[in-house]
Amino acid sequence: MTEQPVDVESAGENVAGETPVKEPEAVTDDATVHDDDVELERTIGLVGGLAIGIGTMIGAGIFVFPGLAAFNAGPAATLSFAIGGLIALLVALPTSELATAMPRSGGGYYFISRGMGTAYGSIVGLGLWLGLMFASAFYLVGLGHYASAVFAELGVGLPFSPVIGVGLLFGAALTALSIGGTENTAKIQNAVVGILLVVLTGFLSYGVLDAVGVFGGGTVPEQFFSRGYFPVLTTAALVFTSYLGFAQVATVAGEIKQPGRNLPLAMVGSVLIVTVFYVVTIFVATSAFGADRLGQYGETAMVEVARDFLGLPGAVAILGAGLLATFSSANASILSASRAVYALSRDALLPRKASEVNLRYGTPHIALLVAGGPILVLVATGQVELLAEVASFLHLIMYGLMCVALIVLRRRNPDWYSPSYQVPGYPVVPAIGALASFGLIAFMQRESIGIGIVVMIVSYLWYRYYAGDVTLKGDI
Amino acid sequence: MTDRPSILVPIRVLEGESVPEGVPELLANAHVVLLGYHVIPEQTAPGQAQMQFEERAKNRLDEYETIFEEAGATVERRLVFTHDGQKTIDRMTTEHDCLAVLVPNATGPVEDVLVAVRGAVGIDRLARVVAGLFAETDASVTLYHVAEPDETDEDVGTLLDGMVNRLEGLDMDASRIETRVEREQAALDAIVDVADAFDVVVMGETDPSLATFVFGMPADQVADRFLGPVLVVQREPAPNEGEMEMDD
């Protein structure tokens, strides 16, 4: 397969006099080919792509949110997760089409900047980068909660809450680890995801059998919409952070083998798999305790659910899984954030220096530091819900615009736009995807929306100041 | 004149690996596919390394290209940034239809060539590499076979005679070809032992098996222990390899 690359005369220069890097000449199953026979090898297969998607997503939805979501929406939190999954799917399908047409690093930022122009691109690109920071911070705070639950389990009484301290520690460690060039990170990620899926499948199978009364436990009788209908939607907005992972697959689109086949499968597949896990988890969790008690347990409610079913071994297993899951989510997000910095500096929207590769370790130390540093500041706030919502907000803007970009591209139908996967139900699916993405924002807390809008405005002003002359739009 | 065999020469271009002494002369009659590659860790996008190192890598490759051309080879080149060097080498071998991959080690003027003949499979490609590179030189070629216990002298004779005939058919002077048979020793050790007396080793790639999975491909093991260059003749590409390729 050789596909025509984006026909774009990326032009102009930024304040520092840097111009966007030239587009490649061809995109094949195995490499991105630049002129003069310079190639970038594609090395991530379908399993690797799925592991990135699932590994990023499974941490939050299962291990941090059940208590919070049940507290807000009652047993209907199950529906909230299903809504989130549906919206994610509605966006993942158009994203797949865009990704097969433009399998380049940068994901949503790349599609939008080439489809709709530099201004939209920079808002989304800088937003994606910051959104990933918020998401990483959220995962790290979740990790902190799990770590402090471990202390509690061990009977170690601490005079202070270790949540933020542990989050900061792991945030710093992950950044250092990434800069130091840990070998085989992808293999470790694959293994972690595999272990998680096995542990969860076992646990949830038991839980479902218990909930339907096979082991005599039975469901705690409770009204499904015990908190009313509206909280179902606000909860969907809150927990949407659980579904950001498929976009992370797109940020490494330039490294995926056979992108025409593997990108759609990895993105849609990971959304479907985690949606099933989330919905079953919430069902099991609310069946075990009822929403009120579950809500009291907060971020580590799943540990109590496991203890209720399987005693101490269950609690320990879920604690371990929770640590692994939040760790792998944070790790994947930090790495994606540095890919976003690369994509932006390649296009001269950030200084070229920002994606410089460290000679000793071969890692992008500056990109990792500018991702890792602010993450620590965000972790220090300890605001789980706010961090999650801002991350969701920034991603939802990108998701909505991706759907719009797809419609724009399909209508103009430029020569270079020949996706090997086409979204079913065009134009209805992308249109609903866009409306649902923007619509979900309306159900967020006002603070989250405010912070998100400030980030967008700052991103736009940065573009006007730093790279006002740069044009990236594809020939349409 | 025989066809120039295409030989892949992989060089880790940014890690100080360069074209070793004697290699350009060794490949003077070859079509060299010069692969400069740079392996980067997984947390770095290949494009990032490209942005930073492309210029430097290209300058190096320019130099190497000139060295090979001055020695008489025809040269084609690629520069690849990758997470997985072996995948890149395999892909280049297939895409450029290379008969052999060179494990580049330094050598003096090539006078004695050791050709490890394993069996009848792939013997045609082996002959094309040997004849292509050495038919027009003065180097003497030793065909070396390590016999299995149940292999009769007759079988071995047929195998080696067949190889000699092929080489003659490819314009190789039979007086420069010797044959040698070894018994009672493991093939790998035998090759490494005898290789010391030679300037270059030509051998086939074996099918991957559990042992090669654990200990590495025999060709790699020979290359590790033999100080000179090793030409690893590649298997015939399976006609439907592209479709058969499994994920991960």
Side-chain angles (χ1 to χ4, degrees), chain A residues 39 41-42 46 185 357 362, chain B residues 42 44 52 78-79 87 247:
Chain A
E39 302 182 2
E41 189 88 35
R42 296 176 177 274
L46 177 58
T185 40
V357 177
Chain B
E42 281 154 353
T44 312
Q52 200 168 335
R78 292 289 191 91
L79 173 60
K87 185 192 175 242
D247 232 278

Side-chain angles (χ1 to χ4, degrees), chain A residues 30 36-39 41-43 45-46 178 181-182 184-186 255 261 339 342 355-357 362-364, chain B residues 41-48 50-52 54 58 77-83 87-88 91-92 247-248:
Chain A
D30 293 300
D36 261 354
D37 274 348
V38 177
E39 302 182 2
E41 189 88 35
R42 296 176 177 274
T43 50
L46 177 58
S178 318
T182 42
N184 299 325
T185 40
E255 294 157 56
R261 162 183 174 263
R339 291 284 201 285
Y342 155 59
S355 67
E356 194 166 275
V357 177
T363 51
Chain B
E42 281 154 353
Q43 48 270 71
T44 312
Q48 254 165 315
Q50 181 213 0
M51 265 187 344
Q52 200 168 335
E54 186 178 339
K58 273 186 174 171
R77 57 181 246 188
R78 292 289 191 91
L79 173 60
V80 183
F81 294 90
T82 179
H83 291 303
K87 185 192 175 242
T88 303
R91 179 168 67 88
M92 286 294 150
D247 232 278
D248 295 69

Side-chain angles (χ1 to χ4, degrees), chain A residues 133-159:
Chain A
M133 288 186 204
F134 276 91
S136 313
F138 160 70
Y139 300 135
L140 286 167
V141 175
L143 179 69
H145 279 286
Y146 268 83
S148 57
V150 170
F151 286 122
E153 201 65 40
L154 295 171
V156 182
L158 293 172

Side-chain angles (χ1 to χ4, degrees), chain A residues 39-271:
Chain A
E39 302 182 2
L40 308 177
E41 189 88 35
R42 296 176 177 274
T43 50
I44 303 176
L46 177 58
V47 175
L50 279 170
I52 292 171
I54 298 174
T56 316
M57 289 194 264
I58 212 137
I62 289 184
F63 294 100
V64 184
F65 278 133
L68 305 177
F71 183 74
N72 288 340
T78 316
L79 191 59
S80 305
F81 271 95
I83 292 170
L86 183 66
I87 295 176
L89 187 64
L90 284 173
V91 179
L93 292 168
T95 308
S96 298
E97 173 172 328
L98 290 167
T100 62
M102 300 174 254
R104 307 282 323 275
S105 278
Y109 155 72
Y110 190 87
F111 314 145
I112 291 167
S113 61
R114 268 49 176 190
M116 298 171 69
T118 318
Y120 287 103
S122 17
I123 291 173
V124 166
L126 293 163
L128 169 67
W129 169 36
L130 291 159
L132 285 165
M133 288 186 204
F134 276 91
S136 313
F138 160 70
Y139 300 135
L140 286 167
V141 175
L143 179 69
H145 279 286
Y146 268 83
S148 57
V150 170
F151 286 122
E153 201 65 40
L154 295 171
V156 182
L158 293 172
F160 56 92
S161 161
V163 171
I164 290 174
V166 171
L168 290 172
L169 191 71
F170 273 90
L174 274 178
T175 310
L177 218 63
S178 318
I179 292 175
T182 42
E183 292 287 322
N184 299 325
T185 40
K187 276 186 197 126
I188 296 170
Q189 184 84 350
N190 292 3
V192 165
V193 170
I195 294 169
L196 276 176
L197 292 182
V198 170
V199 170
L200 283 171
T201 306
F203 166 69
L204 293 175
S205 311
Y206 186 91
V208 168
L209 292 177
D210 186 274
V212 298
V214 174
F215 302 131
T219 308
V220 173
E222 194 173 8
Q223 206 193 337
F224 190 67
F225 291 103
S226 62
R227 304 285 194 279
Y229 301 108
F230 189 69
V232 173
L233 291 172
T234 56
T235 305
L238 169 68
V239 302
F240 194 71
T241 320
S242 317
Y243 290 103
L244 304 187
F246 74 88
Q248 262 74 303
V249 182
T251 61
V252 296
E255 294 157 56
I256 304 259
K257 290 188 269 189
Q258 300 183 37
R261 162 183 174 263
N262 288 340
L263 274 169
L265 283 178
M267 290 202 272
V268 175
S270 58
V271 167

